[in-house]
Amino acid sequence: MRTLSCAELGKFNEAVLLVHRTRSAEEFSGHLLRAMRKVLAADICVVDWYGFQGMDVRTVYDPMDAVPAGVNEALHRHAHQNPVYEQSRGAVGAISDFLTRKQWHLTDLHAEGFSQVEQEDGLMLDISLRKDCRVSLISSRGKRGFTANERGLMALLEPHVREVFSRLQLQHRVARSLEGHDRLEDIPLSAREREVLAWLAEGKSNAEIAFLLEISPGTVKKHLENIYTKLGVENRHAAAL
């Protein structure tokens, strides 16, 4: 990967912020799709979940209607013909890295899938998140080849995807542990105070919370004062606990 330009760094920072602004499992896929759009040019972006929330497979496209149901079924039926799955698992790879155009056009995956939506190549990052869960980030376009910087920026998203996934898993466990007990929802916090408290629990500083929520540090401080009073605690550590 060559030295990133200021524009590329800016786009990557925007992508990382999108990933970390994820507050629930339901919005995770949408944020990942938007993050991919930030770091490389693509016709179609895809998030493929395997084993997430008990589902065998869940696929989300951007644009949403880019792939007809029949083509989506063919893509999954012939997914084993994608060389990136077999030869580049856990790393960023493109179909064109492993197959010539002629070899690629001989596959059912191309004939029944990619060619039906006029896509010629795909860049993929396959991330194992748990023993029973993984996610594939895929960007495709109608021409072959991806630059070194596009590959590098895609790869740099991986640790952020892992971090957010771990946080969402923790949130799920905490929510389940609260069942049958006094719930935070019973405390009269405003929607904004809940957002501030959520980021506080993530260990963010006042300045970081202000940046993430696009408010001033002074406003964050005022929200925290109100939160401490409502929770009956004296400091940020106690509030986070």
Side-chain angles (χ1 to χ4, degrees):
M1 184 169 66
R2 64 175 177 79
T3 302
L4 297 174
S5 67
C6 290
E8 288 172 324
L9 284 172
K11 290 295 184 181
F12 178 71
N13 286 337
E14 291 176 15
V16 169
L17 284 174
L18 278 170
V19 174
H20 284 282
R21 279 178 176 157
T22 301
R23 306 309 306 163
S24 67
E26 290 71 26
E27 65 182 27
F28 199 10
S29 295
H31 285 196
L32 291 175
L33 290 167
R34 291 170 60 194
M36 281 190 281
R37 291 283 187 195
K38 292 288 184 182
V39 299
L40 78 166
D43 298 331
I44 301 174
C45 288
V46 189
V47 174
D48 252 343
W49 291 102
Y50 299 86
F52 186 39
Q53 294 186 320
M55 295 179 291
D56 291 335
V57 61
R58 179 170 185 261
T59 303
V60 185
Y61 290 99
D62 178 36
M64 289 181 59
D65 58 352
V67 178
V71 177
N72 178 61
E73 192 277 332
L75 287 168
H76 287 91
R77 185 171 68 253
H78 301 302
H80 63 282
Q81 294 180 352
N82 189 327
V84 182
Y85 278 129
E86 299 302 322
Q87 302 184 51
S88 191
R89 189 174 293 277
V92 174
I95 293 169
S96 55
D97 294 343
F98 303 101
L99 298 178
T100 65
R101 187 187 300 272
K102 183 177 180 179
Q103 290 171 329
W104 172 225
H105 287 190
L106 290 174
T107 66
D108 297 321
L109 181 59
H110 179 269
E112 298 179 29
F114 277 69
S115 69
Q116 299 302 309
V117 286
E118 300 180 344
Q119 299 298 283
E120 186 59 36
D121 202 358
L123 185 70
M124 180 185 302
L125 172 61
D126 199 41
I127 307 172
S128 294
L129 297 166
R130 280 192 323 241
K131 181 179 180 181
D132 59 342
C133 179
R134 64 183 172 87
V135 63
S136 296
L137 307 183
I138 308 163
S139 294
S140 68
R141 55 195 183 200
K143 63 179 182 178
R144 286 171 65 89
F146 293 86
T147 69
N149 278 20
E150 288 174 324
R151 296 162 184 267
L153 289 170
M154 179 82 102
L156 288 173
L157 288 177
E158 179 174 358
H160 301 282
V161 174
R162 290 185 181 281
E163 182 178 341
V164 172
F165 179 83
S166 296
R167 170 166 58 78
L168 292 175
Q169 293 297 103
L170 177 60
Q171 287 176 197
H172 179 67
R173 289 195 294 270
V174 169
R176 293 187 62 182
S177 71
L178 286 173
E179 293 177 2
H181 301 278
D182 292 334
R183 299 179 63 85
L184 184 62
E185 285 78 1
D186 297 328
I187 301 172
L189 298 176
S190 69
R192 179 61 89 186
E193 287 168 350
R194 291 178 187 279
E195 289 181 313
V196 171
L197 182 57
W199 285 119
L200 177 69
E202 290 293 316
K204 302 299 183 184
S205 68
N206 286 12
E208 289 172 324
I209 295 172
F211 179 76
L212 289 163
L213 298 181
E214 299 179 345
I215 57 180
S216 71
T219 301
V220 173
K221 182 179 179 181
K222 183 62 178 176
H223 282 314
L224 288 176
E225 291 172 355
N226 292 336
I227 290 169
Y228 298 161
T229 298
K230 292 179 180 181
L231 294 181
V233 299
E234 296 182 355
N235 54 54
R236 64 193 303 116
H237 178 68
L241 290 174

